Amino acid sequence: MSRKPVHLAVYDTYADWETGHATGYLARAGYEIRTAGPSPEPVSSIGGLRVQPACALDDVRPSESSLLILPGADLWDAGDDLAPFARKAREFLDAGVPVAAICGATAGLAREGLLDDREHTSAVSFYLAVTGYGGGERYVDADAVTDRGLITAGPTEPVAFAREIFRLLGVYDGEVLDAWYRLFHDSDAEAYAVLEKAQASG
């Protein structure tokens, strides 16, 4: 079955570790992962990985995408350089295309007003509170939260972040989704057999 690509935002200081579980297993499930940067120029992650974006953010269209993933980055809290990515998230959500934001990207979405009327999470509630956003009462103390097409998670929850993405896109569900999470979050060896059986029959 042909699927629209998943767009992974990349920008200087993006957090390498936050999206690897999601993008790796989305690719295994048949999704093309397309990186989108502020421009076509290379960017560097926090870990120093140099990435050449496949396209510029301005060229990303919700109608041509299955999902926009926004990783955390130091730049989210250092000024307005990444504000265009938050505006692109609004464009996606307005078009009914999901967005997944983790760590500092949640603060960017808070500043954009996208968390004011959705349940959400982040690193801690007071991290978002300093943005002055209006959604404090909708903050949920959970590993990851999905509400009306928007997934949020804190920086220590890349596995739960991926779990919510897989659930939303229908990559895994039920017993298989639970097994995937138990394997990568809890190192539960018994979960591997469930995944192996699902892959063999799928």
Side-chain angles (χ1 to χ4, degrees), residues 73-154:
D74 292 343
L75 286 181
W76 281 112
D77 298 317
D80 296 328
D81 287 356
L82 300 186
F85 287 88
R87 291 194 291 271
K88 182 63 70 171
R90 178 180 292 281
E91 184 183 333
F92 265 62
L93 292 170
D94 286 349
V97 182
V99 173
I102 186 169
C103 190
T106 62
L109 299 192
R111 294 185 189 97
E112 180 64 20
L114 293 174
L115 306 185
D116 288 352
D117 61 352
R118 285 180 170 86
E119 292 196 343
H120 58 276
T121 194
S122 184
V124 287
S125 60
F126 56 81
Y127 170 63
L128 294 184
V130 299
T131 68
Y133 83 128
E137 292 185 355
R138 294 181 176 270
Y139 187 89
V140 180
D141 188 10
D143 55 9
V145 173
T146 302
D147 188 359
R148 289 181 294 131
L150 177 60
I151 296 167
T152 51

Side-chain angles (χ1 to χ4, degrees), residues 22-58:
T23 56
Y25 278 83
L26 286 172
R28 283 189 167 188
Y31 286 91
E32 176 191 359
I33 308 300
R34 290 184 57 80
T35 49
S39 75
E41 296 302 311
V43 299
S44 293
S45 73
I46 288 177
L49 298 180
R50 294 283 283 172
V51 175
Q52 176 77 55
C55 62
L57 181 67
D58 286 346

Side-chain angles (χ1 to χ4, degrees), residues 154-176:
T156 61
E157 299 293 348
V159 178
F161 184 61
R163 179 197 66 208
E164 294 304 298
I165 289 172
F166 301 155
R167 190 198 316 274
L168 190 65
L169 294 183
V171 174
Y172 303 126
D173 56 21
E175 180 186 40
V176 178

Side-chain angles (χ1 to χ4, degrees), residues 5 10 37 45 54 79 89 105 179 191 199:
V10 291
S45 73
Q199 290 171 352

